[in-house]
Amino acid sequence: MWYFTWILGVLLACAFGIINAMWLESTEDMDRSDSQP
């Protein structure tokens, strides 16, 4: 049943990438709103 671990790892890696991209976009938006009065 190694494939359950493999699928879980792949989904975890995809979720981490998606969350990281969303966090990066949100921090860029906050930096842009801070610099523009």
Side-chain angles (χ1 to χ4, degrees), residues 5-26:
T5 305
W6 188 82
I7 290 171
L8 189 65
V10 169
L11 290 176
L12 192 65
C14 290
F16 180 76
I18 291 169
I19 291 171
N20 196 13
M22 290 169 61
W23 174 78
L24 186 64
E25 288 292 324
S26 68

